[in-house]
Amino acid sequence: MAHAETSLQEFLERSDTAPPQRILYPIFGTHDDFTFETALNIADGVGGELLVLDLLTGDATRSSETTSVGRKLLQARLDETHTADAHLIVEETDTPLKTAINVAQQRHVQLAVLDEHTPELFGEGLRGDAADRMRKKASCDVVSVTYSRADSGISSVLVPIAEGTHSALGVVVGGALAMGADAPVDLFHVSETKDETAVARASTLFETARSRLPEAVTVDTWHLEAPDVAEAIINESAHYNVTVMGKPTQSRLREFVTGSVTAAVTDESENAVLTVQRDGGDEGFGFERN
């Protein structure tokens, strides 16, 4: 893997005639190694370009005596097994999330990978969190990583699929992660009752999902009948390193009252959970550029 370091201004001014898929990993002071590995493997999986944006705030100043978190990550974790190009951008800023959004906008990022170190926003319960803000303002797809398992490797990926708006992106992200980590991906659908209609629906979902992935991805499918969809996914997720799910599409008020499958899995799963949300634009994240 080739990598280079540059200033934000230099990178924004760089001209690209045919940019690859761009995956942005912003570092807001602190970071999670697993999230970096996730972003790196996703970039590898689609032959894309990883942008590591190290945002220095407050007392964290850039100097010859300061080694940025991003630089340490790249120096320690890049090796010949990774194929994507990586760029480190180190930037001092008082508005880290705004800066990350600006970079995503101006460099046509297709996918941003965020984790629990992303700054919280005032009133985010009503107006959306940082991932919502990134998706809406930067017009890019977003992955939010919740990491709870002690071990760090990625040897198996579970993708529960449904008919929601963001489910298709979950398939693509899960496939890209599996490709980059050289791991299989299991497509999993749960029906409360496994009647003829449910079986036909599951078959269509699996067929559509498989068509979104390259042949090189090792895929298996599983249709399970269970009365509680969330509980079934939580139980199954214990056998995988990563579970990839679409963001709930119901209203925030309804989600608060009734809960959501994604929220339950994120809170109770023993492994890492990636929650994805699609921007809805024409040039979203995928294996082939539009």
Side-chain angles (χ1 to χ4, degrees), residues 11-201:
F11 192 81
L12 293 180
E13 290 175 351
R14 196 180 75 180
S15 176
D16 293 319
T17 55
Q21 289 281 321
R22 286 206 174 108
I23 293 85
L24 176 67
Y25 174 48
I27 300 173
F28 299 98
T30 55
H31 78 290
D32 188 294
D33 285 345
F34 183 83
T35 307
F36 173 78
E37 290 289 345
T38 297
L40 180 56
N41 279 309
I42 290 173
D44 279 346
V46 296
E49 181 179 64
L50 177 64
L51 309 184
V52 179
L53 177 61
D54 201 344
L55 298 154
L56 305 182
T57 59
D59 296 330
T61 57
R62 183 179 182 182
S63 70
S64 59
E65 299 177 355
T66 300
T67 301
S68 75
V69 173
R71 192 178 303 122
K72 289 180 179 178
L73 279 172
L74 293 174
Q75 290 172 347
R77 296 183 176 272
L78 294 188
D79 56 37
E80 65 278 359
T81 64
H82 297 293
T83 58
D85 287 338
H87 295 271
L88 171 62
I89 307 167
V90 183
E91 182 69 10
E92 297 178 26
T93 178
D94 294 326
T95 55
L97 183 58
K98 182 178 180 180
T99 300
I101 290 171
N102 287 341
V103 171
Q105 287 175 324
Q106 297 180 51
R107 296 315 302 174
H108 308 294
V109 164
Q110 281 75 44
L111 186 74
V113 181
L114 310 178
D115 61 20
E116 61 184 356
H117 300 288
T118 305
E120 295 182 355
L121 303 176
F122 177 75
E124 67 177 28
L126 297 176
R127 298 185 299 173
D129 57 14
D132 294 321
R133 190 75 58 86
M134 174 70 76
R135 175 179 61 82
K136 293 174 182 177
K137 291 187 174 294
S139 297
C140 68
D141 300 334
V142 179
V143 175
S144 299
V145 179
T146 303
Y147 184 55
S148 57
R149 177 169 281 184
D151 60 340
S152 58
I154 300 174
S155 60
S156 56
V157 180
L158 178 68
V159 182
I161 59 174
E163 296 169 324
T165 304
H166 307 296
S167 185
L169 178 62
V171 172
V172 174
V173 168
L177 180 61
M179 279 280 288
D182 192 22
V185 57
D186 282 6
L187 304 177
F188 183 49
H189 181 68
V190 182
S191 299
E192 294 182 5
T193 58
K194 202 171 179 180
D195 56 19
E196 186 175 324
T197 301
V199 170
R201 181 183 300 113

Side-chain angles (χ1 to χ4, degrees), residues 236-282:
E236 185 61 20
S237 70
H239 304 291
Y240 297 80
N241 302 118
V242 181
T243 301
V244 186
M245 300 190 67
K247 182 181 174 65
T249 55
Q250 61 190 14
S251 70
R252 291 186 176 277
L253 177 60
R254 182 179 178 186
E255 183 180 339
F256 176 77
V257 174
T258 65
S260 77
V261 172
T262 301
V265 174
T266 300
D267 291 341
E268 300 181 35
S269 176
E270 296 181 15
N271 72 358
V273 178
L274 275 56
T275 304
V276 305
Q277 48 181 310
R278 175 73 87 182
D279 168 55
D282 294 331

